[in-house]
Amino acid sequence: MTLRLPEDLRDRLRAHAKSERRSLNSELVYMLEVGLRASGVNTESPGGDSATSAPLRGKPGSSPT
């Protein structure tokens, strides 16, 4: 999938991902999942499997919320 973002937004996302010790892709997936969950959207795929194969990790040493 190709995602075109304004350069300044991409730079801000990349910097935030780095501060959270995640790749840009992992940070985008995390942000989308959190946003969908907060808005009440069902994050399960139609087949009942999670959208990701494994739970996302936060910063090392942090506890899940």
Side-chain angles (χ1 to χ4, degrees), residues 4-22:
R4 290 182 291 193
L5 297 170
E7 189 174 342
D8 62 325
L9 178 57
R10 186 195 66 224
D11 293 343
R12 288 175 29 219
L13 288 166
R14 187 173 284 143
H16 184 73
K18 185 176 181 177
S19 74
E20 295 294 322
R21 300 179 67 174
R22 290 193 267 258

Side-chain angles (χ1 to χ4, degrees), residues 1-62:
M1 177 173 116
T2 300
L3 180 62
R4 290 182 291 193
L5 297 170
E7 189 174 342
D8 62 325
L9 178 57
R10 186 195 66 224
D11 293 343
R12 288 175 29 219
L13 288 166
R14 187 173 284 143
H16 184 73
K18 185 176 181 177
S19 74
E20 295 294 322
R21 300 179 67 174
R22 290 193 267 258
S23 68
L24 178 58
N25 185 74
S26 293
E27 186 65 20
L28 289 170
V29 169
Y30 175 78
M31 290 178 136
L32 289 168
E33 286 185 343
V34 168
L36 287 173
R37 204 171 301 123
S39 66
V41 174
N42 182 357
T43 57
E44 295 292 318
S45 69
D49 295 332
S50 173
T52 59
S53 59
L56 293 173
R57 295 179 305 151
K59 289 192 286 188
S62 66

